[in-house]
Amino acid sequence: MTPPTKGEQTRRRILDTASTLFAQKSFDAVSMRAIAKEASVDPALISHYFGSKEGLFEAMLEQSISVDAIAEEMFSGDVTDLGATMVRTAERLWASEAGKVVIAVMRRAFADNTQLVRQFATKALLGRLVERLPNDEDGMLRASLVATQMSGFLLIR
């Protein structure tokens, strides 16, 4: 395996720094200049690697949280144990290295009503949860209520 290039190391440092800062402060309160300063890079490198602060946030999500793996773990097993499995998975994720990204996502979801967070939550949870629930006309409503409970759990956590 070849060692990472200087550019890959810089990109990684920017992502790690952004994860930490976004977990500490709201998306709007973290500037590209602050991320660059903390990562010891030129601010232009953020635009070079990610296009924008929004692009950086999205890259941070994609790199840190494997939606497919989480959904597989969260929605596996018997449907009667689904609630407990979801809570255990959320707790494990919160305590993992990806926890600070989860905090950043939750902070952003509550701070502003962005399309990115909505799409992520819908992709990660609602559609897959509806598939696991018994087939009835209230599936999306039930999934939305579960998502509300899980959001409250993570917010209080």
Side-chain angles (χ1 to χ4, degrees):
M1 187 164 87
T2 60
T5 65
K6 185 176 178 184
E8 290 167 342
Q9 291 173 351
T10 300
R11 187 178 191 283
R12 176 83 224 159
R13 194 167 62 249
I14 292 169
L15 280 168
D16 289 344
T17 300
S19 295
T20 299
L21 291 176
F22 286 136
Q24 294 171 351
K25 302 176 183 176
S26 72
F27 179 81
D28 291 334
V30 177
S31 69
M32 287 176 49
R33 189 171 302 280
I35 294 167
K37 181 179 178 185
E38 191 72 26
S40 300
V41 300
D42 187 295
L45 287 174
I46 296 173
S47 295
H48 171 73
Y49 288 116
F50 305 102
S52 65
K53 186 167 76 166
E54 186 78 29
L56 173 58
F57 192 87
E58 191 170 340
M60 180 191 71
L61 281 176
E62 290 172 1
Q63 177 214 301
S64 300
I65 301 176
S66 169
V67 174
D68 292 334
I70 292 167
E72 178 67 30
E73 181 181 345
M74 191 171 273
F75 302 129
S76 64
D78 187 60
V79 73
T80 58
D81 295 326
L82 197 53
T85 302
M86 289 175 67
V87 170
R88 278 193 301 274
T89 302
E91 181 63 28
R92 184 198 54 74
L93 181 63
W94 189 271
S96 75
E97 284 295 313
K100 62 184 174 183
V101 175
V102 173
I103 293 169
V105 169
M106 294 300 295
R107 182 184 301 279
R108 183 140 190 226
F110 290 111
D112 38 80
N113 199 10
T114 67
Q115 186 68 18
L116 174 67
V117 174
R118 235 185 344 269
Q119 287 173 343
F120 180 78
T122 300
K123 179 182 177 187
L125 294 175
L126 290 181
R128 291 175 179 173
L129 180 56
V130 169
E131 292 172 6
R132 290 285 292 137
L133 295 174
N135 192 9
D136 65 23
E137 67 276 356
D138 293 331
M140 185 52 90
L141 173 62
R142 292 170 57 195
S144 295
L145 292 172
V146 169
T148 300
Q149 291 295 309
M150 291 301 294
S151 295
F153 167 73
L154 291 172
L155 178 65
I156 296 302
R157 174 68 170 91

